[in-house]
């Protein structure tokens, strides 16, 4: 097998990366594989296995961690939103210009290699690359410049009309969501196939965000063990399996355009996915614990969802507040750092440990023990740049989402507070690497940090990155 792998590496002239946002190994390599003939053909000839994501296991920063081989701390990206320094709740949204580290396509450009990049988060606004780029799902809409070079936009629109970056998935009209998902994905693959044929490239990577959206919008209709599963006769039971078949069909058409005798094909995801057991109103819990003090408690008795910025926070008595999301970010009110901070810097470690222990002691709605994980950024990353939270929290190991809103009878919510969302992220995504000439599979296990060194190895390069090449 090792000989075959080495022979395959020698034959590689191009690398084609299929990015499937949130594809989990349990479905792609397990339950669905027999119904996906094109993906199965690849996997059966690949080095493949579960790929451990980064912390946090979310789309931004995970795709850029993968591409750069740098940690979220080194990138200074801890999610979509970041708190502006010296404020309580002013935010900035992660975007391409905040990524300062080199990605694999920058490294291979040093050897003159050209890349085509489609939808890799965060890639808006589009930056110059040695090749072509179409920006990702954070692009506002198709009226803005979303390609590099700019002229590429016109080519795309002549081909497919208005390009679709994402769909609104947290809404009740599931039929509309489904229709838009299919349209978005079909257009994306049409563009992919056009660029494969019309442009020069050595490295081609795209990310299809639709898989993540279909998981979040339709998981409860598909997973018989979901606490909101409506029964076998529900009209959306097959939407998720059907979307995987759509992807497989489009991938099959695309593979026909590649010369598999000289092209390595990687399938990869940034994280996995699993059923959401519920959402936990963490700010409501912080109030109950006396860590967050407000001057207008009557607002929580109005029987409606209350957003954090509706609270009249008494910062002179507040220790901590939090943000919701697939993972929760908890901030401490530190003297000299926050505008009205009260925690003495000398007491910071002690207070943070105490808050962390109280969070870890949170139990489920029926008193069951949770496997809650609390991370300190500077302890899990060699460097922690930028606007990092004080604590990063996986409630019950990500089985429960964090709700930043308040005003509920109980902090345990059956559904997401920001609209329908049935799934949460899981720690393990997927990785498979087909090499020319491979005729059998080899199981492996790796981390997201191993992706960039592996790709660089295919181009005969080595850089001082986190992780290792799997070949």
């Amino acid at each position: 097998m090792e000989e075959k792998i080495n022979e395959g590496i020698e034959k590689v002239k191009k690398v084609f990366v299929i990015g499937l946002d949130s594809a989990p190994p349990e479905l792609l390599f397990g339950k669905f594989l027999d119904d996906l003939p094109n993906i199965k053909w690849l996997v059966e000839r690949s080095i493949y296995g579960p790929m451990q994501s980064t912390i946090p296991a979310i789309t931004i920063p995970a795709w850029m961690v993968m591409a750069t081989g740098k940690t979220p701390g080194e990138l200074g990206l801890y999610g979509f939103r970041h708190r502006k320094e010296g404020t309580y709740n002013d935010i900035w949204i992660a975007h391409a210009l905040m990524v300062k580290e080199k990605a694999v396509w920058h490294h291979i450009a040093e050897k003159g290699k050209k890349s085509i990049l489609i939808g890799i988060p965060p890639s808006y606004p589009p930056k110059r690359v040695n090749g072509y780029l179409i920006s990702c799902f954070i692009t506002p809409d198709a009226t803005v410049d979303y390609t590099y070079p700019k002229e590429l936009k016109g080519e795309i629109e002549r081909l497919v009309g208005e390009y679709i970056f994402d769909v609104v998935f947290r809404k009740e009209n599931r039929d509309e969501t489904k229709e838009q998902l299919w349209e978005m994905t079909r257009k994306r693959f049409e563009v992919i196939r056009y660029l494969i044929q019309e442009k020069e490239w050595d490295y081609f990577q795209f990310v299809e965000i639709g898989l993540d959206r279909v998981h979040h919008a339709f998981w409860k209709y598909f997973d018989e063990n979901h606490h909101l599963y409506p029964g076998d006769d529900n009209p959306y039971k097959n939407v998720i399996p059907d979307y995987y078949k759509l992807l497989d069909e489009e991938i099959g058409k695309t593979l026909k355009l590649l010369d598999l005798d000289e092209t390595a094909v990687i399938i990869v995801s940034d994280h996995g996915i699993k059923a959401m057991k519920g959402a936990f109103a963490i700010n409501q819990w912080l109030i109950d614990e006396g860590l967050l003090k407000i001057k207008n408690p009557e607002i929580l008795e109005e029987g409606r969802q209350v957003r954090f910025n509706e609270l009249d926070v008494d910062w002179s008595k507040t220790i901590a507040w939090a943000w919701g999301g697939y993972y929760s970010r908890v901030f401490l009110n530190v003297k000299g750092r926050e505008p009205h901070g009260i925690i003495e810097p000398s007491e910071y470690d002690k207070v943070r440990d105490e808050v962390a222990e109280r969070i870890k002691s949170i139990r489920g709605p029926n008193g069951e023990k949770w496997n809650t994980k609390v991370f300190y950024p500077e302890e899990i990353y060699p460097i922690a740049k930028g606007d990092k939270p004080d604590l990063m929290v996986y409630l019950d190991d990500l089985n429960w989402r964090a709700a930043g809103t308040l005003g509920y009878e109980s902090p345990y919510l059956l559904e997401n507070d920001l609209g329908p969302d049935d799934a949460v992220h899981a720690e393990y995504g997927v990785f498979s690497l087909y090499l020319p000439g491979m005729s059998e599979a080899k199981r492996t296990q790796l981390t997201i940090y191993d992706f960039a060194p592996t790709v660089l190895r295919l181009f005969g390069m080595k850089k001082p990155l986190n992780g290792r090449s799997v070949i």
Side-chain angles (χ1 to χ4, degrees), residues 65-214:
V65 166
M66 197 189 303
T68 62
K70 300 291 183 182
T71 67
E74 289 166 297
L75 294 170
L77 292 177
Y78 304 94
F80 291 84
R81 296 174 293 161
H82 293 79
R83 186 166 67 108
K84 289 182 182 172
E85 194 175 353
T87 70
Y88 282 113
N89 224 24
D90 283 350
I91 63 166
W92 58 271
I93 302 292
H95 54 81
L97 302 181
M98 297 305 294
V99 181
K100 310 294 185 190
E101 300 287 346
K102 283 185 175 179
V104 289
W105 47 87
H106 296 120
H107 291 303
I108 63 173
E110 293 167 9
K111 294 178 72 173
K113 302 293 184 186
K114 291 183 181 294
S115 296
I116 295 179
L117 311 166
I118 303 177
I120 305 171
S123 53
Y124 179 82
K127 293 197 295 191
R128 180 188 180 90
V129 293
N130 186 29
Y132 300 88
L133 180 148
I134 300 174
S135 60
C136 69
F137 73 98
I138 63 170
T139 306
D141 57 48
T143 64
V144 301
D145 288 332
Y146 59 83
T147 62
Y148 179 84
K150 279 186 181 182
E151 302 74 49
L152 179 61
K153 178 181 174 180
E155 279 185 70
I156 290 169
E157 292 178 355
R158 283 191 288 279
L159 184 71
V160 297
E162 186 175 322
Y163 188 74
I164 304 174
F165 300 93
D166 198 1
V167 301
V168 178
F169 64 99
R170 287 192 183 124
K171 64 180 182 183
E172 295 299 340
N173 190 338
R174 300 295 210 280
D175 289 328
E176 202 169 274
T177 301
K178 181 186 170 192
E179 187 181 326
Q180 290 171 349
L181 274 167
W182 259 249
E183 183 186 0
M184 173 178 74
T185 298
R186 284 189 169 126
K187 280 190 175 184
R188 182 119 57 232
F189 274 92
E190 194 172 344
V191 169
I192 289 164
R193 287 192 285 271
Y194 169 79
L195 294 176
I196 286 173
Q197 296 173 93
E198 298 296 325
K199 307 296 181 189
E200 191 184 340
W201 59 274
D202 304 286
Y203 180 79
F204 195 122
Q205 181 177 354
F206 72 89
V207 172
E208 178 48 84
I209 195 71
L211 188 61
D212 181 78
R213 299 333 191 194
V214 83

Side-chain angles (χ1 to χ4, degrees), residues 36-55:
L36 310 173
N38 298 296
I39 292 173
K40 186 177 181 182
W41 188 92
L42 280 175
V43 171
E44 287 181 339
R45 291 159 180 79
S46 288
I47 301 165
Y48 80 101
M51 186 171 82
Q52 187 175 21
S53 187
T54 186
I55 301 170

Side-chain angles (χ1 to χ4, degrees), residues 349-452:
D349 290 341
K350 176 171 163 286
V351 173
R352 184 165 68 159
D353 288 347
E354 288 171 359
V355 174
E357 286 307 312
R358 287 166 79 167
I359 290 172
K360 283 191 269 189
S361 72
I362 296 171
R363 287 181 174 262
N366 300 309
E368 70 274 22
K369 195 172 179 188
W370 274 2
N371 179 23
T372 294
K373 296 175 180 173
V374 179
F375 305 99
Y376 298 165
E378 74 278 9
E379 287 189 359
I380 56 172
Y381 310 130
I383 300 168
K385 295 179 186 171
D387 308 309
K388 57 186 180 293
D390 294 296
L391 304 98
M392 304 164 71
V393 179
Y394 283 9
L395 289 167
D396 193 23
D397 195 21
L398 293 173
N399 284 304
W400 283 72
R401 183 187 165 87
T405 54
L406 314 86
Y408 309 103
E409 287 185 9
S410 157
Y412 303 97
L413 315 180
L414 288 175
E415 299 198 64
N416 177 36
D417 61 331
L418 301 178
D421 192 342
D422 314 330
V424 288
H425 293 182
E427 188 181 8
Y428 282 88
V430 299
F431 173 89
S432 80
L433 166 61
Y434 161 85
L435 292 167
M438 274 189 77
S439 54
E440 57 184 309
K442 179 187 174 186
R443 292 286 299 195
T444 190
Q445 188 162 335
L446 70 164
T447 81
I448 198 166
Y449 295 102
D450 300 333
F451 175 87

Side-chain angles (χ1 to χ4, degrees), residues 83 99 110 201 229 238 240 242 286-287 304 362 381 453:
R83 186 166 67 108
V99 181
E110 293 167 9
W201 59 274
Y229 181 62
N238 291 318
I240 288 180
D242 287 347
L286 286 169
I287 289 175
R304 65 178 180 89
I362 296 171
Y381 310 130

Side-chain angles (χ1 to χ4, degrees), residues 270-286:
D270 53 339
H271 54 76
I273 199 86
K274 58 186 175 183
M276 188 182 85
K277 291 184 177 176
F280 183 73
I282 190 152
N283 279 316
Q284 193 159 317
W285 177 84
L286 286 169

Side-chain angles (χ1 to χ4, degrees), residues 172 174 217-240 275 415 422:
E172 295 299 340
R174 300 295 210 280
F218 293 96
W219 194 272
K220 75 177 178 191
Y221 301 104
F222 151 78
D223 181 355
E224 295 166 12
N225 296 315
H226 196 284
H227 68 286
L228 298 175
Y229 181 62
D232 289 344
D233 57 350
N234 80 76
Y236 305 115
K237 185 169 174 59
N238 291 318
V239 171
I240 288 180
E415 299 198 64
D422 314 330

